[in-house]
Amino acid sequence: MELLLEDLSTQDRYKFLSAVVIPRPVALVTTKNRNGLCNAAPFSFFNVFSEDPAIAILGIGVKPNGKSKDTIQNIKDVKQFVINMVDASIIGAMHIASAEIPSDESEIDYAGVTLVDSKTVSVQRIAEAPASLECELFQIIELTERRALVLGKIKAIYIKDEIIDPATNRIIPEKYSPIARLFGDYYAWLGERYTKGIPSMDDIQRLGLKAGEIEKS
Ligand SMILES: Cc1cc2nc3c(=O)[nH]c(=O)nc-3n(C[C@H](O)[C@H](O)[C@H](O)COP(=O)(O)O)c2cc1C
C-alpha cells in the first residue's frame, strides 16, 4: 500500500501516521490555570529533540468542540508545565486524565496521584511518576487553528532514586519501564533490553563488517 497525504482525510492521516510511527512515549503533562488549579492530560505526540537548549515538544490538538485543550491554554497563560513520564505506577491516572474533565475541575482529584512542588517551576509534578521534566515555555508554533507544537525548555529533570545506579549515576534500563503508545487504544511495555555500539568506518571497511552479521543481542 502506498498513500499520498494529499488523498487522505485528516482522520486517516492521523490514523496512519500515529500507527506507523510507534512506539511513542507518553507525557502526562501537568499545568495550572490562572486560578492555580492543576490540570493533567496525556500526550503521545511528544519527545525530546535537543539537549542544549534542552527542548521537549508536544503536539496538541483541539477539543472535539474546536476549543483549546486546557493544557495549551494553561501553558499560554502560565508559561510553565511539567512532563511526567508514565509507568505502571501511574497508568490509571493517565487514562483518567485523558477524559474530558471540565476546565474548572482538576483531573488530579479523580486520578489518585499526589502533587509535589517542582524545583524550578511553579507547576507541581506528580510524585508517583518515575521521572519528570520541569519546563518553561520556549515557543508555540501554531501549525493550523487545530494543531500546535509546544516547545518547552527543560529546566530540571527529576528521576526516582530507585531507578538510578549509584555507582554510575545513570538510569538502570531494566528498572525504568515507561509505557509505549502504539495507536488508538493499543499500548505496549518495553521488552528485552540489549546493547550494541556504533560501528566505526574501520569495522565496516577494514574488518568487512556486514549488516547481516550483526546479531540483535
Ligand atoms: C495515551 C494518550 C495520548 C494522547 N496524546 C495526545 C496528543 O499527543 N495530542 C493531543 O492533542 N491529545 C492527545 N491525547 C488526548 C488528550 O489527552 C485529551 O484530549 C485530554 O482530554 C486533553 O486534556 P486537557 O483539555 O485537560 O488538556 C492523548 C490521549 C491519550 C490517552
Side-chain angles (χ1 to χ4, degrees):
M1 183 160 74
E2 193 162 347
L3 303 160
L4 291 180
L5 269 283
E6 60 185 26
D7 296 337
L8 295 179
S9 67
T10 305
Q11 197 190 16
D12 279 344
R13 287 174 179 218
Y14 173 77
K15 291 212 157 136
F16 283 111
L17 291 171
S18 65
V20 166
V21 184
I22 60 168
R24 290 186 306 282
V26 179
L28 181 52
V29 178
T30 42
T31 54
K32 68 172 183 181
N33 72 12
R34 285 198 171 121
N35 301 323
L37 185 75
C38 179
N39 187 90
F43 295 91
S44 68
F45 281 157
F46 150 65
N47 218 309
V48 285
F49 290 88
S50 157
E51 75 288 351
D52 194 8
I55 298 292
I57 305 184
L58 306 169
I60 303 189
V62 290
K63 291 183 180 180
N65 65 9
K67 296 227 163 81
S68 284
K69 293 195 181 185
D70 298 337
T71 299
I72 192 164
Q73 191 55 54
N74 292 348
I75 293 173
K76 283 179 181 171
D77 290 344
V78 174
K79 316 251 183 294
Q80 295 178 335
F81 57 100
V82 177
I83 291 169
N84 302 277
M85 297 301 292
V86 177
D87 69 2
S89 62
I90 56 166
I91 190 74
M94 184 206 80
H95 287 293
I96 298 267
S98 67
E100 246 199 88
I101 290 171
S103 307
D104 59 355
E105 286 193 66
S106 175
E107 286 80 2
I108 298 296
D109 294 339
Y110 296 94
V113 287
T114 323
L115 292 175
V116 285
D117 285 346
S118 299
K119 281 268 182 304
T120 58
V121 294
S122 65
V123 175
Q124 292 180 300
R125 64 178 173 84
I126 294 175
E128 293 83 355
S132 301
L133 308 174
E134 299 175 10
C135 299
E136 262 176 13
L137 176 60
F138 184 76
Q139 191 182 352
I140 293 183
I141 303 171
E142 307 269 4
L143 299 174
T144 67
E145 283 179 356
R146 301 182 65 84
R147 269 286 162 197
L149 298 181
V150 173
L151 282 66
K153 186 167 181 184
I154 303 161
K155 307 295 291 182
I157 310 171
Y158 164 82
I159 306 169
K160 266 193 176 156
D161 288 341
E162 300 94 274
I163 60 177
I164 295 283
D165 179 347
T168 60
N169 245 354
R170 297 282 190 264
I171 287 178
I172 305 162
E174 290 76 15
K175 290 202 173 170
Y176 182 46
S177 281
I179 197 164
R181 176 101 190 265
L182 301 181
F183 57 95
D185 294 339
Y186 278 84
Y187 297 87
W189 294 111
L190 294 180
E192 177 198 352
R193 279 79 158 159
Y194 71 97
T195 60
K196 187 69 69 189
I198 298 174
S200 65
M201 271 315 278
D202 198 45
D203 293 334
I204 295 167
Q205 285 179 327
R206 194 170 60 79
L207 304 176
L209 183 67
K210 304 269 187 315
E213 293 163 6
I214 300 179
E215 303 270 317
K216 182 180 83 75
S217 56

